[in-house]
Amino acid sequence: MSTLAVLRLELRRLLLRPWPWLLAAAVLAWLGWNELLAVGAFLKVQDRLALLPAAPGFTDIVAVPLLAQFAEIALLLVPLLSMQALAGERRAGTLSLLLAQGLSARSIVLGKYLAQLLWLLALLALVLLLPLLLAPATTLDWGKLAAATLGIALLLAGLLAVGVACSSYARQPPLAAALALALTLALWAGVAQGRAPQLAGPLLGWISLPTHLQPLLRGLVSTSDMAYFGILIALALSLATHRLGRERELG
Amino acid sequence: MSSPPPRLALRAVSRRRAGRMVLKPTTLHLAACEVLGLLGVNGAGKSTTLMLMAGVLAPSGGRVELNGADLGEVPERARRHIGYLPEHAPLWPELSVREQLDAHGHLRGLRGKALAAPREALLQRLDLAPLARRLCAQLSLGQRQRVGLACALLHQPDVLILDEPGTGLDPVQTENLRGLLRERAAAGAAIVLSTHLLAEVTALGTRAAILHQGELRHDAPLRAAHAVWRVTLGTRQTEPARAALTALAEAIEVEDAQHLRVQLRSDADAALLARTLVGANLALLGLEPAAPPLARVFMDIAAGRGERAA
């Protein structure tokens, strides 16, 4: 019940702030423009694709790369969104209002996390609309698109959990954003592992985000990738809950 | 039959921050209908004490009890029983005044009519109805203060903890606030208010506590400061004066042949005392409060000369 009340409050505040809307508008404008370019390129190579026996389709050339671009944007977008979650409340003094209601740290963290996740998933749905609007004029690989969408949703959930955890430790939102961005980039650094496997060991490879995102973008859904994101989310939210639980002691 | 536990009790509560003791072990009790004025110079530890009472901070030592239960063990009790107005009345700036109250109500578990009725009553009572749709970010200091107060009162708590509630209020609003708090106290709420203004405490309080350098230096009923009078007689016979004052005194103590210390009943005052003695044809040479007024106690403590609470 209290989680729901925090979620409701946070969602309302997100919808009333100009900042999330500006971020969403910028993301959609950028991806819309890139989709136009991708569709143009796709149309240009139609004659050559027709000669290939298993040629990549609209999903491989336009839809999934668009989602992959959104994933890269999310590396910056999510820290900018999540920085306000707890650090913003702390700076504005409104965290004491939540603590004085006797709300548990878990309720506060979960409520805020779920509200921001809903906002990110709504943005993902809008991004998804870009290729879906062209579905009547082309042939979509629905299975691959669903797997890629699941991958992006899990990535957003994971990055957001990391962002909320950083926000719980910081006193200033910009510091929370910087910390979250640094951690996110560190997790993303596995891209280098993909390109130069000799530089990174198997553990570094396993903890890197792209190791688990790339199969999903290719349409491969495995329990180990799902488990990875589950562990990342649970670990980050546990850290956030633990830190907020100590707020009453630390002050 | 055992007496009911105090609404709020601090039992040897202390708070340490960054290795420094910001509140030394402090014991305080607050019963129903009591209004405790918490005084102290800047940095005395007033806001820390209030945050400990509200459950926003956890004590480093001792325990805070709410209706007999340890607040640290049942923090959810704070939701129902405590109304807290922090210093500077922080508000969520994106929300309108009505939404702010709704958000507080939802966090306290209020829904439907249980929320709408007190919300509208408080909007009217605190003169916030014309501002109900205005964003909190656009409010003046006094308006923010009133919204914060409405949020603290929304769920009709048993314990009200108010940090500088009079900040930014004009005289009309100040009187309105005092009336509202008196009503809540009369309805059984225990109220703690921290303020720099002694007049605020003497106008509203039933008790005053003074903190200095993180230590409770004074905790006494306010009435005591005005209810005990030292009478200087023009004769060296105290017995006729004793007899005349029996009806309006709770206790009379003879200091010497010319001086009496009289503790008045709650319905008597110094003017009645003087009229009674003059009416009994007794020469009255002097009448002064036996206990020093609160302002003097406060100034003495602030100067480092004052008393220490037991």
Side-chain angles (χ1 to χ4, degrees):
Chain A
M1 194 61 148
S2 20
T3 304
L4 207 62
V6 177
L7 186 154
R8 197 171 159 175
L9 169 64
E10 185 68 12
L11 208 52
R12 180 84 186 130
R13 293 180 63 206
L14 270 175
L15 294 177
L16 290 171
R17 267 185 228 150
W19 181 236
W21 289 104
L22 284 173
L23 285 176
V27 168
L28 286 172
W30 175 256
L31 291 179
W33 172 248
N34 276 279
E35 190 196 23
L36 270 180
L37 295 179
V39 168
F42 178 63
L43 291 175
K44 247 185 208 171
V45 294
Q46 281 298 303
D47 49 346
R48 273 183 281 165
L49 290 176
L51 300 173
L52 297 172
F58 179 80
T59 310
D60 300 298
I61 294 178
V62 178
V64 171
L66 195 73
L67 288 177
Q69 266 195 30
F70 182 46
E72 289 177 5
I73 292 173
L75 299 183
L76 183 63
L77 171 76
V78 176
L80 287 177
L81 181 74
S82 62
M83 66 180 181
Q84 291 289 345
L86 293 161
E89 297 270 17
R90 197 176 276 129
R91 187 181 61 173
T94 43
L95 191 57
S96 65
L97 295 179
L98 294 173
L99 295 173
Q101 320 265 354
L103 297 171
S104 67
R106 194 180 58 181
S107 293
I108 297 173
V109 168
L110 263 185
K112 286 186 166 284
Y113 174 75
L114 291 175
Q116 298 202 342
L117 185 60
L118 279 178
W119 187 89
L120 283 171
L121 292 180
L123 180 59
L124 174 61
L126 289 175
V127 170
L128 206 56
L129 264 183
L130 295 172
L132 287 181
L133 285 173
L134 297 174
T138 183
T139 311
L140 277 172
D141 182 339
W142 291 102
K144 194 176 271 185
L145 189 62
T149 305
L150 174 67
I152 301 298
L154 287 171
L155 175 78
L156 292 175
L159 293 182
L160 182 61
V162 171
V164 170
C166 292
S167 185
S168 73
Y169 281 89
R171 293 208 164 266
Q172 297 293 330
L175 186 64
L179 191 60
L181 187 62
L183 270 177
T184 298
L185 289 177
L187 286 172
W188 196 257
V191 169
Q193 189 268 346
R195 289 179 190 144
Q198 71 279 8
L199 294 178
L203 181 66
L204 187 58
W206 192 83
I207 62 167
S208 75
L209 281 164
T211 306
H212 304 277
L213 180 64
Q214 294 302 339
L216 287 160
L217 290 178
R218 288 198 301 271
L220 302 169
V221 180
S222 75
T223 39
S224 74
D225 294 331
M226 308 275 277
Y228 166 81
F229 284 107
I231 291 168
L232 178 67
I233 293 166
L235 187 67
L237 291 184
S238 300
L239 282 172
T241 305
H242 177 259
R243 173 59 185 84
L244 192 62
R246 293 202 61 209
E247 190 75 22
R248 289 185 171 96
E249 279 105 64
L250 299 172
Chain B
M1 211 170 89
S2 62
S3 59
R7 286 254 194 248
L8 188 72
L10 265 60
R11 301 198 188 280
V13 166
S14 63
R15 173 78 188 177
R16 188 177 279 280
R17 190 176 184 187
R20 194 172 68 87
M21 195 65 112
V22 289
L23 184 70
K24 292 171 188 164
T26 298
T27 296
L28 262 178
H29 301 96
L30 196 63
C33 305
E34 265 196 308
V35 181
L36 173 71
L38 192 59
L39 292 160
V41 294
N42 288 333
K46 301 190 297 291
S47 292
T48 302
T49 307
L50 295 194
M51 283 195 268
L52 287 161
M53 287 175 170
V56 174
L57 291 179
S60 308
R63 53 190 248 157
V64 180
E65 288 180 1
L66 182 65
N67 294 321
D70 189 339
L71 191 59
E73 285 169 14
V74 281
E76 66 279 6
R77 278 203 180 197
R79 280 178 80 189
R80 289 201 307 276
H81 296 284
I82 294 180
Y84 174 50
L85 171 68
E87 198 178 5
H88 310 309
L91 302 171
W92 290 295
E94 309 86 356
L95 304 185
S96 70
V97 169
R98 184 173 271 121
E99 285 172 331
Q100 191 82 217
L101 287 167
D102 282 346
H104 277 263
H106 293 147
L107 290 170
R108 304 263 183 200
L110 299 179
R111 294 279 180 282
K113 279 185 182 172
L115 169 60
R119 181 193 63 204
E120 294 307 314
L122 281 166
L123 285 174
Q124 292 295 335
R125 181 66 202 265
L126 289 165
D127 203 16
L128 289 167
L131 306 173
R133 299 180 66 177
R134 191 175 295 178
L135 290 182
C136 289
Q138 298 170 343
L139 299 178
S140 70
L141 177 63
Q143 290 166 341
R144 290 173 62 85
Q145 202 70 16
R146 283 183 284 149
V147 176
L149 190 68
C151 293
L153 290 166
L154 190 64
H155 58 300
Q156 301 181 324
D158 302 334
V159 177
L160 256 176
I161 298 167
L162 311 172
D163 201 344
E164 309 276 357
T167 306
L169 300 186
D170 64 36
V172 176
Q173 290 160 357
T174 303
E175 201 43 54
N176 193 14
L177 168 72
R178 286 177 185 175
L180 186 56
L181 295 182
R182 278 191 201 106
E183 280 171 28
R184 291 297 165 122
I191 301 174
V192 187
L193 61 100
S194 143
T195 177
H196 292 294
L197 304 173
L198 294 173
E200 197 74 39
V201 174
T202 47
L204 268 176
T206 55
R207 261 172 63 206
I210 301 175
L211 281 168
H212 187 64
Q213 294 176 342
E215 189 179 7
L216 183 66
R217 302 285 284 270
H218 171 92
D219 176 21
L222 267 175
R223 203 171 63 84
H226 302 286
V228 183
W229 294 84
R230 189 165 186 265
V231 178
T232 307
L233 298 168
T235 65
R236 298 189 71 80
Q237 290 182 330
T238 53
E239 201 44 48
R242 271 181 69 117
L245 295 174
T246 306
L248 51 104
E250 276 181 5
I252 301 173
E253 183 189 326
V254 178
E255 282 186 6
D256 55 40
Q258 214 175 349
H259 293 102
L260 294 176
R261 189 180 284 261
V262 182
Q263 185 179 352
L264 292 173
R265 288 186 197 280
S266 58
D267 54 348
D269 58 14
L272 179 62
L273 188 153
R275 280 200 304 274
T276 306
L277 288 174
V278 173
N281 289 323
L282 293 164
L284 177 62
L285 291 186
L287 186 60
E288 58 183 342
L294 186 62
R296 198 184 334 146
V297 175
F298 181 80
M299 295 307 285
D300 283 350
I301 289 173
R305 299 190 298 268
E307 59 192 283
R308 281 169 201 277

Coordinates of all heavy atoms in Angstrom, one line a residue, chain A residues 42 45-56:
Chain A
F42 N 17.6 1.3 -46.4 CA 17.0 0.0 -46.6 C 16.3 0.0 -48.0 O 16.5 -1.0 -48.7 CB 15.9 -0.2 -45.5 CG 15.2 -1.5 -45.6 CD1 15.8 -2.7 -45.5 CD2 13.8 -1.5 -45.9 CE1 15.1 -3.9 -45.7 CE2 13.1 -2.7 -46.0 CZ 13.7 -3.9 -45.9
V45 N 19.0 -0.5 -50.9 CA 19.6 -1.8 -51.1 C 18.6 -2.9 -51.4 O 19.0 -4.1 -51.4 CB 20.5 -2.1 -49.9 CG1 21.7 -1.2 -49.8 CG2 19.7 -2.2 -48.7
Q46 N 17.4 -2.5 -51.7 CA 16.4 -3.5 -52.0 C 16.7 -4.5 -53.1 O 16.6 -5.7 -53.0 CB 15.0 -2.9 -52.3 CG 14.3 -2.3 -51.1 CD 13.9 -3.4 -50.1 OE1 13.2 -4.4 -50.5 NE2 14.4 -3.3 -48.9
D47 N 17.3 -3.9 -54.2 CA 17.6 -4.8 -55.4 C 18.7 -5.8 -55.0 O 18.7 -6.9 -55.5 CB 17.9 -3.9 -56.6 CG 18.9 -2.9 -56.3 OD1 19.2 -2.6 -55.0 OD2 19.5 -2.3 -57.2
R48 N 19.7 -5.3 -54.2 CA 20.8 -6.3 -53.9 C 20.3 -7.3 -52.9 O 20.7 -8.5 -53.0 CB 21.9 -5.5 -53.3 CG 22.9 -5.0 -54.4 CD 24.1 -4.2 -53.8 NE 23.7 -2.9 -53.4 CZ 24.4 -2.1 -52.6 NH1 25.5 -2.6 -52.1 NH2 24.1 -0.9 -52.4
L49 N 19.4 -6.9 -52.0 CA 18.9 -7.8 -51.0 C 18.1 -8.9 -51.6 O 18.1 -10.1 -51.2 CB 18.1 -7.1 -49.9 CG 18.8 -6.2 -48.9 CD1 17.8 -5.5 -48.0 CD2 19.8 -7.0 -48.1
A50 N 17.4 -8.6 -52.7 CA 16.5 -9.5 -53.4 C 17.3 -10.7 -54.0 O 16.8 -11.8 -54.1 CB 15.8 -8.8 -54.5
L51 N 18.6 -10.5 -54.2 CA 19.5 -11.5 -54.8 C 20.0 -12.5 -53.7 O 20.4 -13.6 -54.0 CB 20.7 -10.9 -55.5 CG 20.3 -10.0 -56.6 CD1 21.6 -9.3 -57.1 CD2 19.6 -10.7 -57.8
L52 N 19.9 -12.1 -52.4 CA 20.5 -13.0 -51.4 C 19.4 -14.0 -50.9 O 18.2 -13.7 -50.9 CB 20.9 -12.1 -50.1 CG 22.0 -11.1 -50.4 CD1 22.1 -10.2 -49.1 CD2 23.3 -11.8 -50.6
P53 N 19.9 -15.3 -50.6 CA 18.9 -16.3 -50.2 C 18.3 -16.0 -48.8 O 17.1 -16.3 -48.6 CB 19.8 -17.6 -50.2 CG 21.2 -17.1 -50.1 CD 21.3 -15.8 -50.7
A54 N 19.1 -15.6 -47.8 CA 18.6 -15.3 -46.5 C 18.9 -13.9 -46.2 O 19.6 -13.6 -45.2 CB 19.1 -16.3 -45.5
A55 N 18.3 -13.0 -46.9 CA 18.6 -11.6 -46.8 C 18.0 -11.0 -45.5 O 16.9 -11.4 -45.1 CB 18.1 -10.8 -48.0
P56 N 18.8 -10.1 -44.9 CA 18.2 -9.4 -43.7 C 17.0 -8.6 -44.1 O 17.0 -8.0 -45.2 CB 19.3 -8.6 -43.1 CG 20.2 -8.4 -44.3 CD 20.1 -9.5 -45.2

